[in-house]
Amino acid sequence: MYAHRVNELENNVKILYGKANGFAVAQAQTNTKLDNLIQSLDEVKESLSSIKSRPSLFWDKLVFAFIGALGAGIGTVFLTFFKGV
């Protein structure tokens, strides 16, 4: 009489454990995918930072080149002026 209920309860428990295990596996896979996504996002942030810093590097080089050219020009003017004296 109670054997049928016990068997049905055992089957329900097996099903419940199967679903819980399936959920745990799915959650682990989701966590792995999320970790990979976060890692990729960090790589993208680093790439964007390096791209953002390029214009400032370009302007630094341009300013130093201008200062060098200005210094060379002033030096040439002085050499020309003093050479004639």
Side-chain angles (χ1 to χ4, degrees):
M1 178 169 164
Y2 294 111
H4 174 66
R5 288 185 175 179
V6 171
N7 288 336
E8 185 177 343
L9 183 60
E10 285 177 351
N11 287 334
N12 288 340
V13 168
K14 285 180 184 178
I15 291 170
L16 182 61
Y17 276 127
K19 288 182 179 181
N21 288 337
F23 175 74
V25 169
Q27 186 65 34
Q29 290 173 344
T30 302
N31 287 343
T32 302
K33 289 179 182 179
L34 185 60
D35 289 342
N36 290 339
L37 183 63
I38 290 171
Q39 184 180 4
S40 297
L41 186 59
D42 288 340
E43 291 172 1
V44 169
K45 284 181 180 180
E46 289 175 9
S47 297
L48 283 176
S49 294
S50 68
I51 290 172
K52 282 182 177 180
S53 68
R54 280 186 189 167
S56 65
L57 293 175
F58 172 75
W59 285 108
D60 289 346
K61 289 178 183 178
L62 186 65
V63 167
F64 288 132
F66 179 73
I67 291 171
L70 187 63
I74 291 172
T76 303
V77 168
F78 281 137
L79 287 175
T80 305
F81 179 72
F82 288 119
K83 187 177 184 182
V85 174

